[in-house]
């Protein structure tokens, strides 16, 4: 059965509405042009009346009678004169028209002399790159005009460029990174150093847009951000880069700022994070900020390779399973984390097979935070012991389905010491502190669209989540609360976010060992006594004997199922060998 077409009044409704809006807009503009003299006179009369009221209010009370008598006498004389009322009306309308005129200063058309010199200098600097000897009508030529090359421009109060649109020839190789880098470096040098510029290349329209970026706020203290479980605020970025804002308290008032939100959990495609930077760039600050946010909904294991006590404030807190800074304790904690990941995988796999929801003890997130693990790698190699990074293979590969998240922070000059598992499975990347564009590109997998700063504040850098865009990043101020050199307000903000002390009153809290119900954990000694993590009396848990072959088969099946799922959902890893070669 053929469909009958809609009536014309219904099918053309959008066109009628658009035409009606256009007619209404045209009529309003015409009425404004016609009534402009009346609007001006009415505005002038209002201003004259306001001036008269102010004059009467400013006159002392003992002189107001004389003033009223003078005004009445003038009105009487005007009424008695021939054509007096007509002349008075014309004079009043003329005065009202003069008072009601638009007094806004007219903006000068075009740039002034200093701005013209700056644009001319910038045009001459671009001529060697954009000119061609065989072009019939060259856009860029020695002694040419800059008006066609720069269709739009803006200047600040100091006479420096804040926004510039540059038209370039179609034959320029704008698809090559080297060609773009040359132009961006030249524009940053000629437009004024000490500022951060963002470059947007329109290859289809042959236009380059240069915009000066405002500095990111570097004094936003750590606080409870309005996020849902599984969301972590890495820092703040430009408003044009993200579609979401968060309310924060900054400078004693509430304001909305655009955040860089990292999502973890079962549905995440970037379940693990790698942060690198120079010494003092703020990687430890980032880890403290992540730890404080993770403790709201999960448990945390911290490995401190710096040995400076940056995480001493978290020792003995609720949810902090361990803060390790010794090689033996680090190996023991990471081995327990690997066993815990396997236990969660087996428990979740059994629940899936039975058609039941995952157990509650597998839903609580477990965070493994490592600060400078390369330091323990060197110590392990010197002593001939096991490398702690080798124990991260299971949490990194199978952590997403097990609700286990790994965050690694290290220095740029130690990238070659990171294991292959860390490089392949950390698809959320952060680069903090001063770094060359080549180093940023090697770590993030994509070049930044802004120029680097000469003076980089702590916690300032770039972030990229998976295959997304590169964002400017400013980490919230989260200093060590025991550091006297930090600001008192920022230290107090961190103290307010710390969880309460555990029942052991600050004593060292060992990670609790748990095993799957089917049998012992693979790799554990036969005489190891495991404690039930959710037991309140902390008594040894009696385990039923199980067939070792069946246990190995269950673990292998769980690993195979979750490995296939992770390989399908995750993108290709970002190579980092170029960064290691650059730093070495």
């Amino acid at each position: 059965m053929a469909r009958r077409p809609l009536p014309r009044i219904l099918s053309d409704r959008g066109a009628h509405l658009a035409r009606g809006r256009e007619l209404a807009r045209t009529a309003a503009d015409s009425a404004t042009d016609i009534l402009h003299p009346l609007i001006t006179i009415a505005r002038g009369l209002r201003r004259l009346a306001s001036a008269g009221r102010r004059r009467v209010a400013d006159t002392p009370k003992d002189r107001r009678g004389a003033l009223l008598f003078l005004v009445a006498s003038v009105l009487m004389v005007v009424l008695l004169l021939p054509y007096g009322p007509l002349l008075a009306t014309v004079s009043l309308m003329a005065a009202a028209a003069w008072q009601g005129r638009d007094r806004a200063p007219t903006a000068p058309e075009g740039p002034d002399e200093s701005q013209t010199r700056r644009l001319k200098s910038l045009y001459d600097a671009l001529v060697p790159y954009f000119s061609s000897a065989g072009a019939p009508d060259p856009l860029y030529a020695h002694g040419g005009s800059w008006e066609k090359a720069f269709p739009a421009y803006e200047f600040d109060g100091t006479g420096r460029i804040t926004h510039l649109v540059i038209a370039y020839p179609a034959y320029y190789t704008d698809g090559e990174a080297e060609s773009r880098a040359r132009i961006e470096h030249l524009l940053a040098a000629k437009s004024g150093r000490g500022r951060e510029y963002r470059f947007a290349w329109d290859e289809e329209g042959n236009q380059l847009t240069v915009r000066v970026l405002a500095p990111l706020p570097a004094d936003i203290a750590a606080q409870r951000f309005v996020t849902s479980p599984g969301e972590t605020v890495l820092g703040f970025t430009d408003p044009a880069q993200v579609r979401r804002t968060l309310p924060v308290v900054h400078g004693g008032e509430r304001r909305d700022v655009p955040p860089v939100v990292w999502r973890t959990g079962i549905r995440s495609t970037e379940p693990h994070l790698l942060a690198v930077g120079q010494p003092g760039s703020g990687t430890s600050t980032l880890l403290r900020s992540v730890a404080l946010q993770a403790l709201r909904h999960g448990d945390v294991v911290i490995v401190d390779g710096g040995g400076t006590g940056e995480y001493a404030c978290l020792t003995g807190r609720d949810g902090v399973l361990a803060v390790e800074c010794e090689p033996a304790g680090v190996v023991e904690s990471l081995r327990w984390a690997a066993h815990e990941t396997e236990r969660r995988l087996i428990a979740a796999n059994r629940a899936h097979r039975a058609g039941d929801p995952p157990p509650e003890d597998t839903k609580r997130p477990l965070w493994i935070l490592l600060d400078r693990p390369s330091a323990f790698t060197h110590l392990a190699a010197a002593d001939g012991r096991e490398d702690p990074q080798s124990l991260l293979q299971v949490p990194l590969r199978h952590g997403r389905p097990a609700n286990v998240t790994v965050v690694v922070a290290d220095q740029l000059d130690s990238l070659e010491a990171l294991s292959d598992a860390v490089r392949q499975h950390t698809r959320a990347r952060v680069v903090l502190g001063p770094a060359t564009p080549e180093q940023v590109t090697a770590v993030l997998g994509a070049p930044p669209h802004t120029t680097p700063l000469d003076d980089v504040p702590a916690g300032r850098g770039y972030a990229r989540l998976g295959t997304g865009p590169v964002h400017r990043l400013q980490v919230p101020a989260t200093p060590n609360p025991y550091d006297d050199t930090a600001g008192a307000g920022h230290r107090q903000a961190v103290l307010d976010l710390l969880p309460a002390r555990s029942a052991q009153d600050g004593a060292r809290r060992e990670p609790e060992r748990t095993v799957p119900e089917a049998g012992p954990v693979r790799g554990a000694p036969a005489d190891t006594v495991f404690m039930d993590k959710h037991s309140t009396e902390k008594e040894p848990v009696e385990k039923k004997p199980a067939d070792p072959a069946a246990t190995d088969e269950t673990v292998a099946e769980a690993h195979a199922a979750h490995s296939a799922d992770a390989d399908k959902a995750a993108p290709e890893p970002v190579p980092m060998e170029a960064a290691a070669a650059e730093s070495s």
Side-chain angles (χ1 to χ4, degrees):
M1 180 177 180
R3 294 184 177 180
R4 297 181 59 184
L6 293 173
R8 185 175 180 182
I9 188 173
L10 296 179
S11 61
D12 296 341
R13 184 177 181 182
H16 284 295
L17 291 177
R19 192 179 301 111
R21 286 194 296 266
E22 185 65 24
L23 291 176
R25 190 180 299 108
T26 303
D29 295 340
S30 301
T32 302
D33 295 339
I34 295 174
L35 300 177
H36 181 70
L38 296 179
I39 296 175
T40 303
I41 292 175
R43 188 189 304 120
L45 290 175
R46 186 175 65 253
R47 292 177 179 176
L48 290 175
S50 299
R53 287 195 300 269
R54 288 195 302 270
R55 181 58 184 271
V56 173
D58 295 340
T59 303
K61 294 184 178 181
D62 55 346
R63 296 183 181 180
R64 291 180 182 178
L67 180 61
L68 294 177
F69 178 76
L70 179 60
V71 172
S73 301
V74 172
L75 292 177
M76 184 64 68
V77 172
V78 169
L79 292 175
L80 294 177
L81 288 176
Y83 305 103
L86 180 61
L87 294 176
T89 303
V90 172
S91 301
L92 181 61
M93 293 298 104
W98 177 258
Q99 291 292 332
R101 72 187 188 281
D102 190 5
R103 300 180 181 181
T106 57
E109 297 182 0
D112 55 18
E113 184 178 355
S114 63
Q115 296 173 356
T116 302
R117 287 198 304 268
R118 186 178 291 272
L119 293 175
K120 178 63 176 175
S121 174
L122 191 58
Y123 174 83
D124 295 338
L126 292 173
V127 168
Y129 300 93
F130 290 154
S131 61
S132 178
D137 186 15
L139 182 61
Y140 290 85
H142 294 284
S145 177
W146 57 266
E147 283 80 2
K148 294 182 179 180
F150 304 147
Y153 48 84
E154 294 179 6
F155 295 85
D156 57 7
T158 61
R160 296 202 297 177
I161 295 175
T162 59
H163 177 251
L164 181 65
V165 178
I166 302 174
Y168 58 88
Y171 53 78
Y172 185 72
T173 56
D174 53 358
E176 300 178 0
E178 294 79 6
S179 301
R180 291 189 177 191
R182 287 195 299 268
I183 299 300
E184 293 174 0
H185 178 74
L186 174 65
L187 293 175
K190 292 294 182 180
S191 300
R193 298 184 182 274
R195 299 186 298 175
E196 199 165 4
Y197 298 89
R198 180 174 181 83
F199 302 95
W201 291 81
D202 183 8
E203 300 179 9
E204 184 178 2
N206 298 320
Q207 285 188 347
L208 170 60
T209 303
V210 184
R211 186 177 299 276
V212 178
L213 299 177
L216 296 176
D219 55 348
I220 298 180
Q223 52 194 282
R224 292 192 178 275
F225 301 110
V226 184
T227 56
S228 60
E231 293 184 344
T232 304
V233 177
L234 299 180
F236 309 101
T237 184
D238 301 306
Q241 293 298 107
V242 295
R243 300 180 180 179
R244 177 179 178 181
T245 58
L246 284 180
V248 299
V249 178
H250 181 217
E253 60 181 9
R254 298 184 65 88
R255 54 181 296 189
D256 294 336
V257 293
V260 177
V261 178
W262 173 41
R263 293 175 176 84
T264 58
I266 298 179
R267 305 297 180 183
S268 174
T269 57
E270 302 87 22
H272 309 295
L273 173 70
L274 173 63
V276 297
Q278 300 289 353
S281 59
T283 54
S284 299
T285 299
L286 176 61
L287 256 65
R288 269 192 301 271
S289 176
V290 172
L292 292 177
Q293 298 180 61
L295 288 173
R296 297 173 58 184
H297 307 286
D299 299 325
V300 175
V301 175
I302 301 176
V303 174
D304 184 8
T308 57
E310 292 289 333
Y311 308 95
C313 60
L314 296 173
T315 304
R317 303 284 179 173
D318 289 340
V320 181
L321 303 182
V323 178
E324 298 291 350
C325 57
E326 297 179 358
V330 170
V331 172
E332 184 69 16
S333 297
L334 295 183
R335 183 178 289 114
W336 171 84
H339 295 334
E340 174 66 12
T341 304
E342 292 182 351
R343 184 197 69 81
R344 293 187 177 201
L345 284 174
I346 296 173
N349 187 42
R350 288 177 174 176
H352 295 334
R353 288 184 175 183
D356 299 330
E360 292 297 331
D361 58 351
T362 63
K363 294 182 179 180
R364 183 170 177 82
L366 174 62
W367 292 72
I368 306 174
L369 309 181
L370 300 96
D371 192 356
R372 294 195 63 190
S374 59
F376 296 107
T377 300
H378 295 307
L379 294 176
D383 297 340
R385 294 180 299 182
E386 182 181 10
D387 184 6
Q389 294 190 53
S390 62
L391 301 172
L392 295 175
Q393 178 71 27
V394 174
L396 286 170
R397 184 171 181 82
H398 306 288
R400 183 176 64 88
N403 275 322
V404 178
T405 303
V406 179
V407 181
V408 180
D410 218 311
Q411 297 181 3
L412 277 172
D413 55 0
S414 302
L415 290 177
E416 70 279 359
L418 296 178
S419 63
D420 294 337
V422 173
R423 299 184 184 186
Q424 293 176 2
H425 297 286
T426 53
R427 298 181 178 89
R429 301 286 179 86
V430 174
V431 179
L432 299 179
T436 62
E438 292 77 13
Q439 290 176 329
V440 176
T441 303
V443 176
L444 301 183
H449 298 286
T450 60
T451 56
L453 289 174
D454 298 334
D455 186 13
V456 182
R460 176 70 174 81
Y462 300 94
R464 189 186 186 205
L465 305 179
T467 58
V470 178
H471 300 281
R472 286 203 308 165
L473 180 70
Q474 178 61 53
V475 178
T478 316
N480 182 8
Y482 302 151
D483 185 7
D484 296 336
T485 61
H490 293 167
R491 287 188 293 152
Q492 185 61 41
V494 176
L495 291 175
D496 295 340
L497 295 178
L498 290 176
R501 291 283 183 181
S502 60
Q504 299 177 4
D505 194 17
R508 186 176 183 272
R509 183 178 179 182
E510 294 288 346
E512 299 162 343
R513 275 71 174 177
T514 56
V515 295
E517 296 180 359
V521 177
R522 294 187 306 166
D527 55 348
T528 302
V529 178
F530 292 93
M531 305 298 292
D532 188 2
K533 181 179 179 181
H534 300 280
S535 176
T536 57
E537 299 180 359
K538 302 299 181 182
E539 296 180 354
V541 180
E542 296 182 0
K543 300 298 178 181
K544 298 181 180 180
D547 187 6
T551 302
D552 294 339
E553 181 182 358
T554 305
V555 174
E557 292 178 357
H559 280 201
H562 291 293
S563 299
D565 188 16
D567 294 338
K568 291 180 181 179
E572 293 295 329
V574 180
M576 293 177 52
E577 286 74 11
E582 179 71 15
S583 61
S584 60

